[in-house]
Amino acid sequence: MLESESRKSCLPITKHVELMLDIEKSRIISVMETMYFVAIKDLLLELYKDLCDLHRYKGTPNMPLTNEYSSYTNITYGKEFLLAAKMVYWKILKGEICSSSFYSILVDESTDKTMEQHLIVYITYLKDGGRGVRATKFIRLLKIKDSTAQSMYESLSGLLTEMDLSKHKMVGFGLDGASSMRGIHEGLAAKLLHEVPHLLCIHCVAHREALAITDATNYFPEFNYIDKLANKVYSWLGKSAKRHGELKSLMELFQIDKLQVLQIHQIRWLSRGQVMNRLVKIMPALLQE
């Protein structure tokens, strides 16, 4: 009877293997979630191992007990998790866009710190095969040889081919006013129009407005004076700790939030409005100083 009862309490080897696999899968899911958190927060990948240590220290369930190579807590496995997540997300996104009855593309040029040139690509489409709501998603940072229209056209065409997207389903194309983009004969828009005659090319409305306002200010010296005033205030404060301290004391006296003086960037055209708003808010303290 004892032997019979002991046999009943023993699990078959297949059941033991299933339990081991379930435990291992739970641990992998836990560390993958940790790496996903690192990715969506744009943290350093080296912090992945430290976050795993933190979870283990707090006693988070289903975490590997050690930092051994097979425990999935090193940066090598972390990168594999990121690659797997990227492939799954890319497959889902590509399927959504391809099922839409039409789509639009928004592009802009960019140069990173290493002076490599890229083309930023967004796609707007309708979910649920064209019956759902509109969605706009970042697609990719395309590396281009140079900023010529031909180079951008080749990179963009390669991306659409990779996504199995027909150019004839493209109905809109958003771009800036650079000659390589809007050139009448050899611009990127002209090359796309040659293949897709019905394409509606739209120069960024906010950019056009900013360019128009910049041109209009040339006829009014008062506007140039405001720019000079803003730049003068910024350079006057400079890196002087004394002046910054005096201005902060005055802002506190005038019951103004402690705000930093901003600088106008000629390239980043959205900054001008922010600079002016900031100047108006701290103007009483500036005048007193």
Side-chain angles (χ1 to χ4, degrees):
M1 288 176 66
L2 286 173
E3 288 179 359
S4 176
E5 289 298 322
S6 64
R7 289 195 190 97
K8 289 180 181 178
S9 62
C10 289
L11 294 173
I13 187 66
T14 53
K15 191 63 177 177
H16 275 291
V17 171
E18 288 179 9
L19 290 174
M20 290 173 62
L21 290 176
D22 287 342
I23 294 172
E24 189 73 2
K25 186 165 73 171
S26 299
R27 289 174 178 171
I28 293 174
I29 291 173
S30 296
V31 291
M32 285 185 75
E33 289 174 340
T34 303
M35 192 61 191
Y36 181 71
F37 176 81
V38 171
I40 62 175
K41 293 296 183 181
D42 199 21
L43 303 176
L44 291 173
L45 297 184
E46 287 73 14
L47 294 177
Y48 166 66
K49 180 179 175 300
D50 296 332
L51 286 175
C52 289
D53 291 340
L54 175 63
H55 281 301
R56 191 160 43 244
Y57 174 77
K58 292 178 63 179
T60 303
N62 300 321
M63 284 298 295
L65 300 177
T66 63
N67 275 333
E68 294 179 358
Y69 182 77
S70 59
S71 66
Y72 311 110
T73 59
N74 58 70
I75 193 64
T76 303
Y77 272 110
K79 289 179 179 177
E80 288 188 15
F81 293 151
L82 273 186
L83 182 60
K86 171 191 170 185
M87 292 173 63
V88 172
Y89 175 76
W90 176 246
K91 184 177 180 180
I92 295 172
L93 181 62
K94 193 168 91 169
E96 282 186 358
I97 298 174
C98 288
S99 64
S100 178
S101 53
F102 56 85
Y103 66 92
S104 296
I105 292 181
L106 297 89
V107 298
D108 194 9
E109 298 173 78
S110 176
T111 304
D112 63 14
K113 292 182 179 179
T114 62
M115 301 308 293
E116 286 188 349
Q117 294 178 315
H118 299 89
L119 193 66
I120 308 170
V121 182
Y122 285 81
I123 289 184
T124 299
Y125 62 98
L126 293 179
K127 290 186 175 182
D128 301 326
R131 295 180 298 275
V133 297
R134 177 182 57 83
T136 300
K137 298 288 185 180
F138 167 73
I139 302 300
R140 188 172 295 175
L141 200 63
L142 285 177
K143 188 176 179 180
I144 52 178
K145 298 176 184 177
D146 48 52
S147 57
T148 61
Q150 183 62 31
S151 178
M152 291 188 287
Y153 174 77
E154 291 173 358
S155 298
L156 188 59
S157 296
L159 175 64
L160 296 179
T161 301
E162 180 186 342
M163 296 182 67
D164 298 323
L165 278 175
S166 169
K167 289 181 182 176
H168 292 283
K169 290 174 65 176
M170 181 166 46
V171 295
F173 185 64
L175 66 165
D176 63 16
S179 58
S180 58
M181 292 280 191
R182 288 186 56 83
I184 297 176
H185 301 293
E186 295 297 329
L188 177 58
K191 292 180 180 296
L192 290 173
L193 279 168
H194 182 70
E195 289 189 75
V196 191
H198 63 263
L199 185 62
L200 180 63
C201 297
I202 301 173
H203 182 182
C204 171
V205 177
H207 191 211
R208 291 176 66 183
E209 182 182 21
L211 293 175
I213 292 172
T214 302
D215 289 342
T217 55
N218 294 329
Y219 296 96
F220 300 94
E222 294 83 2
F223 290 131
N224 291 325
Y225 171 77
I226 294 175
D227 278 13
K228 289 178 182 178
L229 172 65
N231 291 328
K232 186 66 177 177
V233 170
Y234 181 83
S235 61
W236 171 72
L237 283 172
K239 296 181 180 179
S240 173
K242 180 182 177 182
R243 289 174 179 169
H244 276 287
E246 291 173 352
L247 188 60
K248 284 183 179 179
S249 299
L250 284 170
M251 283 192 284
E252 187 174 349
L253 184 64
F254 279 97
Q255 296 183 341
I256 301 172
D257 293 335
K258 293 180 180 179
L259 303 170
Q260 294 288 338
V261 175
L262 301 177
Q263 182 184 20
I264 292 177
H265 292 274
Q266 296 300 326
I267 298 175
R268 297 170 186 166
W269 43 273
L270 286 174
S271 70
R272 181 172 272 99
Q274 296 167 358
V275 172
M276 297 308 165
N277 285 330
R278 184 66 57 86
L279 268 181
V280 170
K281 289 179 181 178
I282 66 175
M283 186 58 70
L286 277 174
L287 292 175
Q288 182 65 30
E289 180 66 11

